[in-house]
């Protein structure tokens, strides 16, 4: 999907931007990315169409309502990106934060207070803002450009928000100081390094080989779980729980991953073990959403890849 900037203006109103076909399409893709992740079954420790994984406070319908609430906000992130396209990338996050908080409020209202997609709002909000900036600056919306712009907007984020030693540490600060895990902030600052280097190539390669999209997504998810320093897992099970989940994921992949004839039964067993240990790789699930979303765009474009 290559989007042109010929139908955009430097500054566009909220009413106008919601009518642009490419903006509508991007919002639909964001919604589809969230639905593809939650509907993927079976997933170890995560909410899916089979069960609620290691979660006792949410189910499938919460994720459906949440995805729809977030979809409505995607055009506003794009609009912010377009209206701020002349600002330096490093100045964008400050103005983006209120928009992200407003989107979170809509999510919590839709789910009656359940945190289904907080990490996804952060990632998709950055990506949608990057889209607006790219289009307004007449640059192609490609995987490479999107990730580069997200990295530029997030530069210094870990140092600013995780390294500070304030008295009341947030969960993210505590996990960073205890275990060196940077979570969603670190992934954004790296331009989604794990997505670009691990899950996206695996997903695209399997799709190109004709593998069923659900299988390809499961392989991408387990590949993320094997290497991701998932703060959701560490917050529930500490470094031991994270090491166990990574080891189990690697073992599944080493045996052939989704190419095994009994991969479904193996993943169901993995799911049972995660539930017993109260472990849920929510951080990897968020990155899987980014993976599917980015896969809908071209990898690069000769004229617009810098």
């Amino acid at each position: 999907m290559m989007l042109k900037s010929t139908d955009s203006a430097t500054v566009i109103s909220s009413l106008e931007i919601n009518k642009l076909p490419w903006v509508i399409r991007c919002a639909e893709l964001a919604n589809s990315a969230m639905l593809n992740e939650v509907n993927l079954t079976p997933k170890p420790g995560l909410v899916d169409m089979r069960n609620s994984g290691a979660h006792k406070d949410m189910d499938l319908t919460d994720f459906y309502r949440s995805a729809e609430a977030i979809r409505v906000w995607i055009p506003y992130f794009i609009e912010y990106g377009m209206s701020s396209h002349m600002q330096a990338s490093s100045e964008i996050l400050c103005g983006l934060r209120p928009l992200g908080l407003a989107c979170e409020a809509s999510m919590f209202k839709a789910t009656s207070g359940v945190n289904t997609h907080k990490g996804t709002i952060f990632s998709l909000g950055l990506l949608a803002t990057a889209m607006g900036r790219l289009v307004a600056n007449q640059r192609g919306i490609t995987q490479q450009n999107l990730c580069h712009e997200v990295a530029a907007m997030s530069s210094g984020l870990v140092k600013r928000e995780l390294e500070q030693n304030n008295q009341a540490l947030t969960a993210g600060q505590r996990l960073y100081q205890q275990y060196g895990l940077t979570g969603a902030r670190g992934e954004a600052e790296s331009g989604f390094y794990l997505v670009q280097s691990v899950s996206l190539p695996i997903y695209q390669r399997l799709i190109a080989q004709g593998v069923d999209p659900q299988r390809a997504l499961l392989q991408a998810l387990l590949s993320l779980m094997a290497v991701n320093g998932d703060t959701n897992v560490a917050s529930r099970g500490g470094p031991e729980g994270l090491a166990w989940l990574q080891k189990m994921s690697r073992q599944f992949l080493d045996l052939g991953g989704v190419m095994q004839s009994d991969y479904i039964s193996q993943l169901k067993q993995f799911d049972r073990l995660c539930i017993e240990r109260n472990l849920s790789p929510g951080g990897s699930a968020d990155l899987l959403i980014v993976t599917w979303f980015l896969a809908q765009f071209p990898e690069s474009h000769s004229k617009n890849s810098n």
Side-chain angles (χ1 to χ4, degrees):
M1 180 179 179
M2 176 62 70
L3 303 178
K4 304 294 185 182
S5 58
T6 53
D7 57 355
S8 67
T10 299
V11 179
I12 224 165
S13 72
S14 300
L15 184 61
E16 292 171 324
I17 204 166
N18 274 285
K19 295 179 180 178
L20 294 177
W22 72 266
V23 174
I24 295 171
R25 177 60 175 156
C26 287
E28 290 174 346
L29 289 175
N31 185 61
S32 294
M34 290 181 278
L35 295 181
N36 271 283
E37 183 280 318
V38 75
N39 286 334
L40 188 63
T41 305
K43 298 192 302 290
L46 294 163
V47 174
D48 57 25
M49 299 182 74
R50 183 169 167 265
N51 60 37
S52 293
H55 298 274
K56 297 179 175 64
D57 61 340
M58 60 183 76
D59 59 24
L60 198 65
T61 58
D62 290 316
F63 281 80
Y64 290 165
R65 290 191 292 266
S66 176
E68 177 58 24
I70 294 167
R71 181 194 64 80
V72 174
W73 282 90
I74 297 300
Y76 298 102
F77 286 108
I78 293 174
E79 177 194 10
Y80 174 70
M82 295 181 75
S83 65
S84 62
H85 77 284
M86 294 296 291
Q87 291 179 242
S89 298
S90 59
E91 299 174 357
I92 299 303
L93 275 188
C94 184
L96 184 59
R97 195 175 302 276
L99 193 57
L101 291 173
C103 183
E104 280 186 19
S106 291
M107 174 198 72
F108 283 125
K109 182 178 180 180
T111 63
S112 300
V114 176
N115 175 16
T116 46
H117 283 121
K118 191 172 181 178
T120 294
I121 290 172
F122 177 70
S123 298
L124 289 182
L126 282 169
L127 285 165
T129 301
M131 285 180 187
R133 287 173 62 80
L134 291 172
V135 169
N137 286 310
Q138 299 187 32
R139 299 177 62 209
I141 298 185
T142 66
Q143 295 171 12
Q144 186 180 78
N145 285 351
L146 284 167
C147 291
H148 182 272
E149 186 60 33
V150 167
M153 290 190 294
S154 305
S155 179
L157 184 59
V158 169
K159 183 176 180 62
R160 288 195 307 273
E161 297 195 0
L162 295 184
E163 289 187 3
Q164 58 180 322
N165 194 21
N166 48 298
Q167 188 172 2
L169 294 178
T170 65
Q173 288 172 329
R174 186 175 64 255
L175 290 168
Y176 176 75
Q177 293 190 13
Q178 289 180 339
Y179 312 126
L181 301 177
T182 59
R185 294 177 181 87
E187 268 302 299
E189 189 168 354
S190 73
F192 299 115
Y193 173 78
L194 286 181
V195 171
Q196 288 197 81
S197 63
V198 178
S199 57
L200 188 55
I202 288 171
Y203 177 69
Q204 292 181 314
R205 182 176 69 250
L206 291 178
I207 291 296
Q209 293 171 354
V211 174
D212 176 77
Q214 296 294 297
R215 276 196 177 197
L217 268 183
L218 282 170
Q219 186 79 351
L221 174 62
L222 271 293
S223 298
L224 285 168
M225 290 166 54
V227 296
N228 184 27
D230 197 316
T231 53
N232 292 63
V233 177
S235 66
R236 287 169 170 255
E240 298 82 9
L242 178 58
W244 175 86
L245 185 129
Q246 291 176 333
K247 178 183 177 181
M248 291 291 292
S249 301
R250 287 194 300 270
Q251 288 179 352
F252 173 79
L253 296 170
D254 289 342
L255 290 171
V258 298
M259 296 300 107
Q260 302 171 85
S261 59
D262 64 340
Y263 79 99
I264 291 291
S265 62
Q266 288 197 42
L267 288 177
K268 287 180 178 179
Q269 173 62 13
F270 194 177
D271 183 38
R272 286 192 290 272
L273 294 174
C274 285
I275 293 171
E276 288 175 5
R277 289 166 170 78
N278 193 35
L279 299 178
S280 175
S284 293
D286 289 338
L287 292 179
L288 191 69
I289 290 171
V290 173
T291 300
W292 189 93
F293 185 75
L294 286 175
Q296 310 313 305
F297 300 92
E299 294 180 31
S300 62
H301 190 260
S302 58
K303 291 183 179 180
N304 299 306
S305 60
N306 296 318

